[in-house]
Amino acid sequence: FQSLEQEFPVFRMPQRRAKRVYLSPLWSYTGIGGMYFPFFVEANINTDVPHSGMPATILHELAHTIGFAREEDAEFAAFLAGIYHPDPDFVYSSWFLAYRYLSRTLSQVDRDAWIRLNKRVSEDVKRDIDAVQAYWSRFRGPVQSVSRSVNHAYLRSNMQKDGVMSYGRVLDLILGLHEDQRLPTAPSDLK
């Protein structure tokens, strides 16, 4: 976020670190990659998840610590912080997350365009997508279902009428930035 702060003061953040959840392998059964605890203003991260998504999750949870409460806003702040981050892992993770939202949405509205898009994606990105899907599929079950329902109810009770679906609204924000031609270029394997 320090990279963005110079141009966008709203991203000012004191030095903070995300905290590792020591029971991450068990936490995966809930389907949760990260969680913000407002009482301690701390970002907690499941470190058992595939690395391709972890940096974006860290940034998402840190975005909550500086006041981005709504999920799509925290996701967008994380995306911006990631694509301007000096570490290529953060850059890749943020673009990877955006690609997954785009791919999921496009597959539902224009299957042919989705097929054409996927033909252009590198084998490395496809491997990361497969790894994420394989990882989370190991934990599908009643605990994850209950966790999702609780999170959905929690978000709705906090004025996020779309509940867990609100995360995906970040795509509208990213596409708006793209339309304004203010979006930097994605890494070559995600073009």
Side-chain angles (χ1 to χ4, degrees), residues 71 101 147-153 155-156 160-169:
E71 296 304 334
Y101 279 122
S147 175
R148 183 178 171 90
S149 296
V150 169
N151 192 27
H152 183 70
L155 292 172
R156 288 183 53 98
Q160 294 186 58
K161 65 180 179 141
D162 295 330
V164 295
M165 300 306 291
S166 63
Y167 291 90
R169 295 166 92 205

Side-chain angles (χ1 to χ4, degrees), residues 1 7 18 30 53 58 66 69 71-72 89-90 94 117 125 131-132 165 174 182:
F1 287 94
E7 191 170 341
T30 67
I58 290 168
I66 58 173
E71 296 304 334
E72 66 268 24
D89 285 345
F90 281 80
S94 296
L117 174 69
V125 172
V132 168
M165 300 306 291
I174 294 170
R182 295 170 52 193

Side-chain angles (χ1 to χ4, degrees), residues 87-101:
D87 184 324
D89 285 345
F90 281 80
V91 175
Y92 175 81
S93 184
S94 296
W95 281 110
F96 180 68
L97 180 72
Y99 172 76
R100 288 179 52 226
Y101 279 122

Side-chain angles (χ1 to χ4, degrees), residues 1-187:
F1 287 94
Q2 286 75 19
S3 300
L4 289 178
E5 179 187 348
Q6 295 167 18
E7 191 170 341
F8 306 104
V10 71
F11 291 104
R12 187 174 73 74
M13 177 186 291
Q15 281 288 51
R16 278 204 181 109
R17 302 180 127 228
K19 290 178 69 177
R20 174 180 184 245
V21 173
Y22 289 101
L23 295 175
S24 288
L26 294 176
W27 205 22
S28 293
Y29 284 98
T30 67
I32 295 173
M35 186 180 290
Y36 169 64
F37 289 112
F39 301 112
F40 300 112
V41 190
E42 65 182 28
N44 293 270
I45 305 300
N46 178 342
T47 56
D48 194 52
V49 301
H51 183 74
S52 59
M54 196 180 313
T57 300
I58 290 168
L59 293 172
H60 174 98
E61 299 309 332
L62 287 173
H64 284 311
T65 71
I66 58 173
F68 291 96
R70 298 180 63 78
E71 296 304 334
E72 66 268 24
D73 295 341
E75 200 80 320
F76 187 60
F79 171 75
L80 287 176
I83 64 174
Y84 286 100
H85 201 286
D87 184 324
D89 285 345
F90 281 80
V91 175
Y92 175 81
S93 184
S94 296
W95 281 110
F96 180 68
L97 180 72
Y99 172 76
R100 288 179 52 226
Y101 279 122
L102 173 66
S103 177
R104 190 175 309 129
T105 302
L106 192 57
S107 73
Q108 296 167 357
V109 297
D110 188 340
R111 193 79 172 163
D112 292 334
W114 177 76
I115 291 168
R116 286 191 307 273
L117 174 69
N118 278 317
K119 286 181 180 178
R120 296 176 58 195
V121 174
S122 76
E123 290 304 314
D124 291 336
V125 172
K126 288 177 183 175
R127 268 193 298 276
D128 284 342
I129 291 167
D130 291 345
V132 168
Q133 291 172 342
Y135 177 82
W136 288 111
S137 69
R138 293 181 4 220
F139 300 100
R140 283 196 191 109
V143 173
Q144 196 173 95
S145 295
V146 169
S147 175
R148 183 178 171 90
S149 296
V150 169
N151 192 27
H152 183 70
Y154 169 77
L155 292 172
R156 288 183 53 98
S157 73
N158 281 284
M159 311 299 263
Q160 294 186 58
K161 65 180 179 141
D162 295 330
V164 295
M165 300 306 291
S166 63
Y167 291 90
R169 295 166 92 205
V170 70
L171 185 57
D172 295 335
L173 299 170
I174 294 170
L175 291 175
L177 196 61
H178 174 70
E179 284 180 17
D180 288 346
Q181 299 178 346
R182 295 170 52 193
L183 193 61
T185 305

